[in-house]
Amino acid sequence: MARRKKSTSQPANLSPRIVNRRAHHDYHIEEKLEVGVQLLGTEVKAVRMGRASIAEGFARVDPNTRGLYLHNVEISQYPPAGPNQHEPKRTRKLLAHRREIASLAGITATKGTTLVPLAMYFKGGRIKLELGVGTGKRQHDKRQDIKQREAERDMRRAMTRKHI
């Protein structure tokens, strides 16, 4: 008897990908890095439900402990956990190699450079955070990007129109 093939209609990972849409609008992203996040059980379940916001978040290297920490990221409380809840905006430790942390410390020592969370997602059953090394955009840079995006959109529209 022949074996049945598994259906490939469903994606392997049904967990949400939480994206920081404002990051590319507010920062020039020069470099990206994938790090792990040290979370509590209720935080993992809340992220799996998509109840997290990384829009206001940033990462910083602590000079005393030489550790990488995530600040100002809100992971909402998980309602079925009852009274044993986590603090929604607590500081969370990021898991990276020492040499990566040392290089990030050197990069962020310059003025105007920050570590911005770009996306939070599951990979192999673990939560990963995509960090971007970014420098802040000026107002005229943002206007230039919007103007360029609109010009590209207009060109695409003009190319798709049928000429009779």
mmCIF file of all heavy atoms in Angstrom, residues 70-122:
data_model
loop_
_atom_site.group_PDB
_atom_site.id
_atom_site.type_symbol
_atom_site.label_atom_id
_atom_site.label_comp_id
_atom_site.label_asym_id
_atom_site.label_seq_id
_atom_site.Cartn_x
_atom_site.Cartn_y
_atom_site.Cartn_z
ATOM 1 N N LEU A 70 16.635 44.562 25.691
ATOM 2 C CA LEU A 70 15.554 45.135 24.897
ATOM 3 C C LEU A 70 14.668 45.973 25.821
ATOM 4 O O LEU A 70 14.182 45.482 26.835
ATOM 5 C CB LEU A 70 14.737 44.008 24.247
ATOM 6 C CG LEU A 70 13.613 44.392 23.315
ATOM 7 C CD1 LEU A 70 14.165 45.103 22.081
ATOM 8 C CD2 LEU A 70 12.851 43.157 22.897
ATOM 9 N N HIS A 71 14.463 47.223 25.445
ATOM 10 C CA HIS A 71 13.694 48.157 26.269
ATOM 11 C C HIS A 71 12.429 48.597 25.533
ATOM 12 O O HIS A 71 12.407 48.667 24.311
ATOM 13 C CB HIS A 71 14.524 49.407 26.581
ATOM 14 C CG HIS A 71 15.774 49.138 27.346
ATOM 15 N ND1 HIS A 71 15.807 49.049 28.707
ATOM 16 C CD2 HIS A 71 17.042 48.902 26.924
ATOM 17 C CE1 HIS A 71 17.032 48.803 29.102
ATOM 18 N NE2 HIS A 71 17.804 48.699 28.036
ATOM 19 N N ASN A 72 11.398 48.915 26.317
ATOM 20 C CA ASN A 72 10.185 49.582 25.833
ATOM 21 C C ASN A 72 9.384 48.775 24.808
ATOM 22 O O ASN A 72 8.674 49.346 24.003
ATOM 23 C CB ASN A 72 10.550 50.955 25.261
ATOM 24 C CG ASN A 72 9.481 51.973 25.532
ATOM 25 O OD1 ASN A 72 8.684 51.811 26.452
ATOM 26 N ND2 ASN A 72 9.447 53.014 24.744
ATOM 27 N N VAL A 73 9.504 47.464 24.830
ATOM 28 C CA VAL A 73 8.687 46.608 23.966
ATOM 29 C C VAL A 73 7.552 46.062 24.821
ATOM 30 O O VAL A 73 7.784 45.536 25.907
ATOM 31 C CB VAL A 73 9.523 45.454 23.371
ATOM 32 C CG1 VAL A 73 8.634 44.424 22.719
ATOM 33 C CG2 VAL A 73 10.505 46.007 22.371
ATOM 34 N N GLU A 74 6.328 46.208 24.316
ATOM 35 C CA GLU A 74 5.177 45.774 25.096
ATOM 36 C C GLU A 74 4.687 44.419 24.615
ATOM 37 O O GLU A 74 4.355 44.243 23.444
ATOM 38 C CB GLU A 74 4.039 46.786 24.984
ATOM 39 C CG GLU A 74 2.850 46.385 25.822
ATOM 40 C CD GLU A 74 1.744 47.425 25.811
ATOM 41 O OE1 GLU A 74 1.938 48.496 25.252
ATOM 42 O OE2 GLU A 74 0.686 47.124 26.378
ATOM 43 N N ILE A 75 4.672 43.468 25.537
ATOM 44 C CA ILE A 75 4.047 42.170 25.294
ATOM 45 C C ILE A 75 2.882 42.100 26.265
ATOM 46 O O ILE A 75 3.077 42.046 27.476
ATOM 47 C CB ILE A 75 5.038 41.010 25.518
ATOM 48 C CG1 ILE A 75 6.195 41.120 24.529
ATOM 49 C CG2 ILE A 75 4.325 39.677 25.359
ATOM 50 C CD1 ILE A 75 7.262 40.078 24.682
ATOM 51 N N SER A 76 1.676 42.134 25.728
ATOM 52 C CA SER A 76 0.478 42.188 26.561
ATOM 53 C C SER A 76 0.354 40.943 27.429
ATOM 54 O O SER A 76 0.941 39.900 27.144
ATOM 55 C CB SER A 76 -0.763 42.310 25.686
ATOM 56 O OG SER A 76 -0.710 43.493 24.938
ATOM 57 N N GLN A 77 -0.441 41.067 28.469
ATOM 58 C CA GLN A 77 -0.631 39.940 29.378
ATOM 59 C C GLN A 77 -1.443 38.847 28.708
ATOM 60 O O GLN A 77 -2.275 39.102 27.842
ATOM 61 C CB GLN A 77 -1.301 40.413 30.658
ATOM 62 C CG GLN A 77 -0.410 41.345 31.450
ATOM 63 C CD GLN A 77 -1.026 41.734 32.769
ATOM 64 O OE1 GLN A 77 -2.221 41.592 32.970
ATOM 65 N NE2 GLN A 77 -0.194 42.226 33.669
ATOM 66 N N TYR A 78 -1.188 37.611 29.136
ATOM 67 C CA TYR A 78 -1.874 36.442 28.602
ATOM 68 C C TYR A 78 -3.051 36.140 29.518
ATOM 69 O O TYR A 78 -2.871 35.686 30.652
ATOM 70 C CB TYR A 78 -0.892 35.276 28.547
ATOM 71 C CG TYR A 78 -1.449 34.014 27.959
ATOM 72 C CD1 TYR A 78 -1.849 33.957 26.641
ATOM 73 C CD2 TYR A 78 -1.562 32.863 28.727
ATOM 74 C CE1 TYR A 78 -2.348 32.802 26.096
ATOM 75 C CE2 TYR A 78 -2.062 31.693 28.194
ATOM 76 C CZ TYR A 78 -2.449 31.667 26.880
ATOM 77 O OH TYR A 78 -2.941 30.515 26.335
ATOM 78 N N PRO A 79 -4.304 36.395 29.078
ATOM 79 C CA PRO A 79 -5.468 36.300 29.964
ATOM 80 C C PRO A 79 -5.668 34.950 30.652
ATOM 81 O O PRO A 79 -5.990 34.928 31.840
ATOM 82 C CB PRO A 79 -6.648 36.613 29.041
ATOM 83 C CG PRO A 79 -6.063 37.379 27.921
ATOM 84 C CD PRO A 79 -4.668 36.878 27.749
ATOM 85 N N PRO A 80 -5.472 33.791 30.004
ATOM 86 C CA PRO A 80 -5.709 32.531 30.712
ATOM 87 C C PRO A 80 -4.717 32.219 31.833
ATOM 88 O O PRO A 80 -4.925 31.275 32.588
ATOM 89 C CB PRO A 80 -5.571 31.472 29.606
ATOM 90 C CG PRO A 80 -5.823 32.195 28.346
ATOM 91 C CD PRO A 80 -5.309 33.571 28.569
ATOM 92 N N ALA A 81 -3.659 33.017 31.972
ATOM 93 C CA ALA A 81 -2.659 32.733 33.007
ATOM 94 C C ALA A 81 -3.136 33.101 34.408
ATOM 95 O O ALA A 81 -2.517 32.709 35.388
ATOM 96 C CB ALA A 81 -1.369 33.473 32.704
ATOM 97 N N GLY A 82 -4.196 33.865 34.501
ATOM 98 C CA GLY A 82 -4.725 34.239 35.806
ATOM 99 C C GLY A 82 -3.869 35.279 36.493
ATOM 100 O O GLY A 82 -3.366 36.206 35.866
ATOM 101 N N PRO A 83 -3.653 35.134 37.806
ATOM 102 C CA PRO A 83 -2.910 36.162 38.534
ATOM 103 C C PRO A 83 -1.392 36.103 38.306
ATOM 104 O O PRO A 83 -0.687 37.045 38.625
ATOM 105 C CB PRO A 83 -3.239 35.857 39.999
ATOM 106 C CG PRO A 83 -3.552 34.406 40.007
ATOM 107 C CD PRO A 83 -4.189 34.108 38.697
ATOM 108 N N ASN A 84 -0.879 35.015 37.759
ATOM 109 C CA ASN A 84 0.565 34.885 37.543
ATOM 110 C C ASN A 84 0.960 35.510 36.213
ATOM 111 O O ASN A 84 1.222 34.817 35.245
ATOM 112 C CB ASN A 84 0.972 33.402 37.555
ATOM 113 C CG ASN A 84 0.559 32.714 38.828
ATOM 114 O OD1 ASN A 84 0.509 33.343 39.871
ATOM 115 N ND2 ASN A 84 0.255 31.442 38.737
ATOM 116 N N GLN A 85 0.991 36.833 36.182
ATOM 117 C CA GLN A 85 1.249 37.558 34.941
ATOM 118 C C GLN A 85 2.648 38.171 34.940
ATOM 119 O O GLN A 85 3.261 38.371 35.986
ATOM 120 C CB GLN A 85 0.218 38.669 34.748
ATOM 121 C CG GLN A 85 -1.174 38.181 34.493
ATOM 122 C CD GLN A 85 -1.337 37.536 33.136
ATOM 123 O OE1 GLN A 85 -0.575 37.776 32.210
ATOM 124 N NE2 GLN A 85 -2.346 36.693 33.018
ATOM 125 N N HIS A 86 3.105 38.516 33.756
ATOM 126 C CA HIS A 86 4.379 39.205 33.594
ATOM 127 C C HIS A 86 4.131 40.713 33.468
ATOM 128 O O HIS A 86 3.023 41.143 33.200
ATOM 129 C CB HIS A 86 5.100 38.690 32.341
ATOM 130 C CG HIS A 86 4.331 38.910 31.084
ATOM 131 N ND1 HIS A 86 3.404 38.006 30.614
ATOM 132 C CD2 HIS A 86 4.333 39.935 30.191
ATOM 133 C CE1 HIS A 86 2.880 38.461 29.488
ATOM 134 N NE2 HIS A 86 3.418 39.630 29.220
ATOM 135 N N GLU A 87 5.167 41.496 33.661
ATOM 136 C CA GLU A 87 5.093 42.939 33.479
ATOM 137 C C GLU A 87 5.128 43.223 31.978
ATOM 138 O O GLU A 87 6.051 42.794 31.289
ATOM 139 C CB GLU A 87 6.287 43.602 34.164
ATOM 140 C CG GLU A 87 6.268 45.106 34.144
ATOM 141 C CD GLU A 87 5.166 45.708 34.984
ATOM 142 O OE1 GLU A 87 4.783 45.104 35.995
ATOM 143 O OE2 GLU A 87 4.679 46.776 34.603
ATOM 144 N N PRO A 88 4.148 43.942 31.403
ATOM 145 C CA PRO A 88 4.088 44.111 29.945
ATOM 146 C C PRO A 88 5.286 44.836 29.325
ATOM 147 O O PRO A 88 5.737 44.479 28.259
ATOM 148 C CB PRO A 88 2.812 44.924 29.724
ATOM 149 C CG PRO A 88 1.980 44.637 30.909
ATOM 150 C CD PRO A 88 2.935 44.444 32.048
ATOM 151 N N LYS A 89 5.825 45.860 29.991
ATOM 152 C CA LYS A 89 6.924 46.639 29.401
ATOM 153 C C LYS A 89 8.232 46.452 30.153
ATOM 154 O O LYS A 89 9.013 47.381 30.289
ATOM 155 C CB LYS A 89 6.566 48.118 29.362
ATOM 156 C CG LYS A 89 5.692 48.478 28.207
ATOM 157 C CD LYS A 89 5.824 49.932 27.870
ATOM 158 C CE LYS A 89 5.075 50.204 26.589
ATOM 159 N NZ LYS A 89 5.286 51.527 26.097
ATOM 160 N N ARG A 90 8.518 45.241 30.603
ATOM 161 C CA ARG A 90 9.756 45.021 31.347
ATOM 162 C C ARG A 90 10.951 44.949 30.388
ATOM 163 O O ARG A 90 10.793 44.722 29.191
ATOM 164 C CB ARG A 90 9.671 43.752 32.188
ATOM 165 C CG ARG A 90 9.723 42.466 31.413
ATOM 166 C CD ARG A 90 9.648 41.258 32.346
ATOM 167 N NE ARG A 90 9.786 40.021 31.611
ATOM 168 C CZ ARG A 90 10.943 39.425 31.351
ATOM 169 N NH1 ARG A 90 12.057 39.957 31.772
ATOM 170 N NH2 ARG A 90 10.974 38.299 30.667
ATOM 171 N N THR A 91 12.147 45.125 30.923
ATOM 172 C CA THR A 91 13.370 45.008 30.135
ATOM 173 C C THR A 91 13.686 43.534 29.964
ATOM 174 O O THR A 91 13.697 42.771 30.928
ATOM 175 C CB THR A 91 14.529 45.726 30.860
ATOM 176 O OG1 THR A 91 14.168 47.088 31.037
ATOM 177 C CG2 THR A 91 15.797 45.644 30.052
ATOM 178 N N ARG A 92 13.954 43.128 28.720
ATOM 179 C CA ARG A 92 14.204 41.719 28.418
ATOM 180 C C ARG A 92 15.619 41.535 27.897
ATOM 181 O O ARG A 92 16.121 42.361 27.144
ATOM 182 C CB ARG A 92 13.202 41.224 27.384
ATOM 183 C CG ARG A 92 11.793 41.234 27.929
ATOM 184 C CD ARG A 92 10.758 41.093 26.853
ATOM 185 N NE ARG A 92 9.427 41.106 27.439
ATOM 186 C CZ ARG A 92 8.697 42.193 27.595
ATOM 187 N NH1 ARG A 92 9.153 43.357 27.210
ATOM 188 N NH2 ARG A 92 7.495 42.110 28.130
ATOM 189 N N LYS A 93 16.232 40.437 28.278
ATOM 190 C CA LYS A 93 17.593 40.156 27.845
ATOM 191 C C LYS A 93 17.575 39.543 26.448
ATOM 192 O O LYS A 93 16.747 38.688 26.143
ATOM 193 C CB LYS A 93 18.267 39.194 28.824
ATOM 194 C CG LYS A 93 19.717 38.959 28.504
ATOM 195 C CD LYS A 93 20.414 38.182 29.576
ATOM 196 C CE LYS A 93 21.878 38.075 29.199
ATOM 197 N NZ LYS A 93 22.684 37.576 30.262
ATOM 198 N N LEU A 94 18.495 39.998 25.612
ATOM 199 C CA LEU A 94 18.657 39.451 24.272
ATOM 200 C C LEU A 94 19.857 38.514 24.263
ATOM 201 O O LEU A 94 20.865 38.783 24.910
ATOM 202 C CB LEU A 94 18.851 40.570 23.253
ATOM 203 C CG LEU A 94 17.681 41.538 23.116
ATOM 204 C CD1 LEU A 94 18.014 42.640 22.131
ATOM 205 C CD2 LEU A 94 16.425 40.806 22.686
ATOM 206 N N LEU A 95 19.738 37.425 23.534
ATOM 207 C CA LEU A 95 20.763 36.400 23.528
ATOM 208 C C LEU A 95 21.580 36.495 22.242
ATOM 209 O O LEU A 95 21.056 36.297 21.142
ATOM 210 C CB LEU A 95 20.112 35.020 23.637
ATOM 211 C CG LEU A 95 19.131 34.870 24.809
ATOM 212 C CD1 LEU A 95 18.391 33.561 24.720
ATOM 213 C CD2 LEU A 95 19.854 35.000 26.127
ATOM 214 N N ALA A 96 22.854 36.830 22.391
ATOM 215 C CA ALA A 96 23.767 36.947 21.256
ATOM 216 C C ALA A 96 25.164 36.557 21.727
ATOM 217 O O ALA A 96 25.437 36.484 22.929
ATOM 218 C CB ALA A 96 23.770 38.375 20.713
ATOM 219 N N HIS A 97 26.045 36.298 20.780
ATOM 220 C CA HIS A 97 27.423 35.949 21.108
ATOM 221 C C HIS A 97 28.162 37.166 21.651
ATOM 222 O O HIS A 97 27.841 38.304 21.320
ATOM 223 C CB HIS A 97 28.141 35.429 19.860
ATOM 224 C CG HIS A 97 27.599 34.126 19.371
ATOM 225 N ND1 HIS A 97 27.848 32.930 19.997
ATOM 226 C CD2 HIS A 97 26.805 33.847 18.314
ATOM 227 C CE1 HIS A 97 27.244 31.954 19.339
ATOM 228 N NE2 HIS A 97 26.581 32.490 18.313
ATOM 229 N N ARG A 98 29.182 36.925 22.471
ATOM 230 C CA ARG A 98 29.940 38.024 23.076
ATOM 231 C C ARG A 98 30.567 38.927 22.031
ATOM 232 O O ARG A 98 30.601 40.145 22.182
ATOM 233 C CB ARG A 98 31.040 37.468 23.983
ATOM 234 C CG ARG A 98 30.520 36.974 25.289
ATOM 235 C CD ARG A 98 31.676 36.637 26.214
ATOM 236 N NE ARG A 98 31.165 35.847 27.318
ATOM 237 C CZ ARG A 98 31.759 34.784 27.817
ATOM 238 N NH1 ARG A 98 32.897 34.369 27.330
ATOM 239 N NH2 ARG A 98 31.220 34.131 28.813
ATOM 240 N N ARG A 99 31.116 38.326 20.984
ATOM 241 C CA ARG A 99 31.771 39.155 19.955
ATOM 242 C C ARG A 99 30.742 40.021 19.223
ATOM 243 O O ARG A 99 31.060 41.144 18.816
ATOM 244 C CB ARG A 99 32.572 38.293 18.997
ATOM 245 C CG ARG A 99 31.758 37.336 18.174
ATOM 246 C CD ARG A 99 32.629 36.509 17.249
ATOM 247 N NE ARG A 99 31.820 35.596 16.470
ATOM 248 C CZ ARG A 99 31.429 34.394 16.858
ATOM 249 N NH1 ARG A 99 31.779 33.952 18.056
ATOM 250 N NH2 ARG A 99 30.697 33.635 16.079
ATOM 251 N N GLU A 100 29.517 39.524 19.039
ATOM 252 C CA GLU A 100 28.471 40.333 18.408
ATOM 253 C C GLU A 100 28.078 41.489 19.315
ATOM 254 O O GLU A 100 27.896 42.615 18.847
ATOM 255 C CB GLU A 100 27.244 39.469 18.099
ATOM 256 C CG GLU A 100 27.471 38.451 17.014
ATOM 257 C CD GLU A 100 26.294 37.510 16.831
ATOM 258 O OE1 GLU A 100 25.490 37.350 17.782
ATOM 259 O OE2 GLU A 100 26.184 36.933 15.741
ATOM 260 N N ILE A 101 27.966 41.215 20.610
ATOM 261 C CA ILE A 101 27.611 42.269 21.565
ATOM 262 C C ILE A 101 28.711 43.318 21.609
ATOM 263 O O ILE A 101 28.446 44.525 21.649
ATOM 264 C CB ILE A 101 27.342 41.668 22.964
ATOM 265 C CG1 ILE A 101 26.098 40.778 22.913
ATOM 266 C CG2 ILE A 101 27.166 42.775 23.999
ATOM 267 C CD1 ILE A 101 25.845 40.002 24.179
ATOM 268 N N ALA A 102 29.975 42.870 21.591
ATOM 269 C CA ALA A 102 31.093 43.816 21.618
ATOM 270 C C ALA A 102 31.102 44.692 20.366
ATOM 271 O O ALA A 102 31.347 45.910 20.445
ATOM 272 C CB ALA A 102 32.410 43.059 21.740
ATOM 273 N N SER A 103 30.825 44.107 19.210
ATOM 274 C CA SER A 103 30.798 44.914 17.977
ATOM 275 C C SER A 103 29.621 45.889 17.995
ATOM 276 O O SER A 103 29.760 47.035 17.545
ATOM 277 C CB SER A 103 30.743 44.023 16.745
ATOM 278 O OG SER A 103 29.496 43.395 16.638
ATOM 279 N N LEU A 104 28.472 45.454 18.522
ATOM 280 C CA LEU A 104 27.313 46.359 18.621
ATOM 281 C C LEU A 104 27.594 47.504 19.588
ATOM 282 O O LEU A 104 27.155 48.633 19.358
ATOM 283 C CB LEU A 104 26.064 45.593 19.054
ATOM 284 C CG LEU A 104 25.469 44.639 18.029
ATOM 285 C CD1 LEU A 104 24.316 43.864 18.647
ATOM 286 C CD2 LEU A 104 25.008 45.371 16.798
ATOM 287 N N ALA A 105 28.324 47.217 20.660
ATOM 288 C CA ALA A 105 28.679 48.273 21.616
ATOM 289 C C ALA A 105 29.559 49.317 20.941
ATOM 290 O O ALA A 105 29.395 50.523 21.162
ATOM 291 C CB ALA A 105 29.382 47.670 22.825
ATOM 292 N N GLY A 106 30.486 48.863 20.117
ATOM 293 C CA GLY A 106 31.349 49.798 19.399
ATOM 294 C C GLY A 106 30.588 50.614 18.371
ATOM 295 O O GLY A 106 30.830 51.815 18.204
ATOM 296 N N ILE A 107 29.664 49.977 17.679
ATOM 297 C CA ILE A 107 28.884 50.667 16.645
ATOM 298 C C ILE A 107 27.965 51.715 17.265
ATOM 299 O O ILE A 107 27.853 52.837 16.770
ATOM 300 C CB ILE A 107 28.065 49.654 15.817
ATOM 301 C CG1 ILE A 107 28.987 48.805 14.956
ATOM 302 C CG2 ILE A 107 27.041 50.355 14.947
ATOM 303 C CD1 ILE A 107 28.303 47.627 14.293
ATOM 304 N N THR A 108 27.302 51.366 18.363
ATOM 305 C CA THR A 108 26.329 52.297 18.961
ATOM 306 C C THR A 108 26.994 53.373 19.810
ATOM 307 O O THR A 108 26.300 54.241 20.339
ATOM 308 C CB THR A 108 25.301 51.541 19.820
ATOM 309 O OG1 THR A 108 25.985 50.788 20.815
ATOM 310 C CG2 THR A 108 24.452 50.640 18.965
ATOM 311 N N ALA A 109 28.321 53.325 19.972
ATOM 312 C CA ALA A 109 29.011 54.370 20.727
ATOM 313 C C ALA A 109 28.985 55.696 19.975
ATOM 314 O O ALA A 109 29.058 56.758 20.587
ATOM 315 C CB ALA A 109 30.452 53.947 21.012
ATOM 316 N N THR A 110 28.851 55.645 18.643
ATOM 317 C CA THR A 110 28.785 56.878 17.867
ATOM 318 C C THR A 110 27.413 57.522 18.044
ATOM 319 O O THR A 110 26.408 56.838 18.223
ATOM 320 C CB THR A 110 29.033 56.599 16.365
ATOM 321 O OG1 THR A 110 28.029 55.711 15.899
ATOM 322 C CG2 THR A 110 30.399 55.999 16.144
ATOM 323 N N LYS A 111 27.396 58.841 17.951
ATOM 324 C CA LYS A 111 26.165 59.579 18.181
ATOM 325 C C LYS A 111 25.176 59.364 17.038
ATOM 326 O O LYS A 111 25.555 59.346 15.872
ATOM 327 C CB LYS A 111 26.474 61.072 18.315
ATOM 328 C CG LYS A 111 25.282 61.889 18.714
ATOM 329 C CD LYS A 111 25.633 63.323 18.935
ATOM 330 C CE LYS A 111 24.391 64.093 19.326
ATOM 331 N NZ LYS A 111 24.667 65.507 19.517
ATOM 332 N N GLY A 112 23.907 59.185 17.367
ATOM 333 C CA GLY A 112 22.856 59.050 16.370
ATOM 334 C C GLY A 112 22.622 57.632 15.901
ATOM 335 O O GLY A 112 21.772 57.399 15.060
ATOM 336 N N THR A 113 23.368 56.666 16.425
ATOM 337 C CA THR A 113 23.199 55.273 16.025
ATOM 338 C C THR A 113 22.467 54.530 17.125
ATOM 339 O O THR A 113 22.793 54.681 18.302
ATOM 340 C CB THR A 113 24.560 54.604 15.776
ATOM 341 O OG1 THR A 113 25.290 55.404 14.859
ATOM 342 C CG2 THR A 113 24.387 53.227 15.201
ATOM 343 N N THR A 114 21.488 53.724 16.755
ATOM 344 C CA THR A 114 20.716 52.975 17.733
ATOM 345 C C THR A 114 20.397 51.590 17.203
ATOM 346 O O THR A 114 20.502 51.330 16.006
ATOM 347 C CB THR A 114 19.424 53.730 18.102
ATOM 348 O OG1 THR A 114 18.777 53.052 19.152
ATOM 349 C CG2 THR A 114 18.489 53.827 16.924
ATOM 350 N N LEU A 115 20.002 50.701 18.094
ATOM 351 C CA LEU A 115 19.582 49.350 17.738
ATOM 352 C C LEU A 115 18.067 49.311 17.751
ATOM 353 O O LEU A 115 17.443 49.516 18.790
ATOM 354 C CB LEU A 115 20.156 48.332 18.724
ATOM 355 C CG LEU A 115 21.670 48.246 18.767
ATOM 356 C CD1 LEU A 115 22.112 47.348 19.908
ATOM 357 C CD2 LEU A 115 22.204 47.728 17.457
ATOM 358 N N VAL A 116 17.474 49.041 16.592
ATOM 359 C CA VAL A 116 16.028 49.094 16.428
ATOM 360 C C VAL A 116 15.498 47.682 16.174
ATOM 361 O O VAL A 116 16.016 46.985 15.304
ATOM 362 C CB VAL A 116 15.662 49.993 15.224
ATOM 363 C CG1 VAL A 116 14.165 50.111 15.074
ATOM 364 C CG2 VAL A 116 16.300 51.344 15.353
ATOM 365 N N PRO A 117 14.474 47.234 16.914
ATOM 366 C CA PRO A 117 13.874 45.938 16.592
ATOM 367 C C PRO A 117 13.045 46.052 15.309
ATOM 368 O O PRO A 117 12.179 46.922 15.194
ATOM 369 C CB PRO A 117 13.003 45.627 17.807
ATOM 370 C CG PRO A 117 12.748 46.941 18.444
ATOM 371 C CD PRO A 117 13.893 47.828 18.106
ATOM 372 N N LEU A 118 13.335 45.183 14.347
ATOM 373 C CA LEU A 118 12.631 45.224 13.067
ATOM 374 C C LEU A 118 11.491 44.224 13.006
ATOM 375 O O LEU A 118 10.436 44.513 12.453
ATOM 376 C CB LEU A 118 13.613 44.950 11.924
ATOM 377 C CG LEU A 118 14.787 45.910 11.814
ATOM 378 C CD1 LEU A 118 15.739 45.451 10.731
ATOM 379 C CD2 LEU A 118 14.305 47.309 11.548
ATOM 380 N N ALA A 119 11.704 43.023 13.557
ATOM 381 C CA ALA A 119 10.668 41.990 13.504
ATOM 382 C C ALA A 119 10.881 40.997 14.636
ATOM 383 O O ALA A 119 12.004 40.781 15.096
ATOM 384 C CB ALA A 119 10.706 41.261 12.168
ATOM 385 N N MET A 120 9.779 40.396 15.085
ATOM 386 C CA MET A 120 9.809 39.337 16.091
ATOM 387 C C MET A 120 9.046 38.161 15.495
ATOM 388 O O MET A 120 7.933 38.321 15.008
ATOM 389 C CB MET A 120 9.156 39.803 17.391
ATOM 390 C CG MET A 120 9.251 38.821 18.527
ATOM 391 S SD MET A 120 8.431 39.402 20.031
ATOM 392 C CE MET A 120 9.637 40.542 20.663
ATOM 393 N N TYR A 121 9.663 36.976 15.525
ATOM 394 C CA TYR A 121 9.063 35.816 14.878
ATOM 395 C C TYR A 121 9.556 34.535 15.536
ATOM 396 O O TYR A 121 10.506 34.559 16.324
ATOM 397 C CB TYR A 121 9.394 35.808 13.378
ATOM 398 C CG TYR A 121 10.862 35.946 13.077
ATOM 399 C CD1 TYR A 121 11.676 34.831 12.942
ATOM 400 C CD2 TYR A 121 11.442 37.200 12.944
ATOM 401 C CE1 TYR A 121 13.022 34.956 12.683
ATOM 402 C CE2 TYR A 121 12.780 37.340 12.680
ATOM 403 C CZ TYR A 121 13.566 36.213 12.544
ATOM 404 O OH TYR A 121 14.913 36.355 12.299
ATOM 405 N N PHE A 122 8.904 33.431 15.199
ATOM 406 C CA PHE A 122 9.295 32.116 15.693
ATOM 407 C C PHE A 122 10.175 31.440 14.653
ATOM 408 O O PHE A 122 9.902 31.499 13.455
ATOM 409 C CB PHE A 122 8.063 31.246 15.962
ATOM 410 C CG PHE A 122 7.387 31.572 17.250
ATOM 411 C CD1 PHE A 122 6.454 32.582 17.309
ATOM 412 C CD2 PHE A 122 7.692 30.873 18.399
ATOM 413 C CE1 PHE A 122 5.830 32.891 18.502
ATOM 414 C CE2 PHE A 122 7.073 31.174 19.594
ATOM 415 C CZ PHE A 122 6.142 32.180 19.648
#
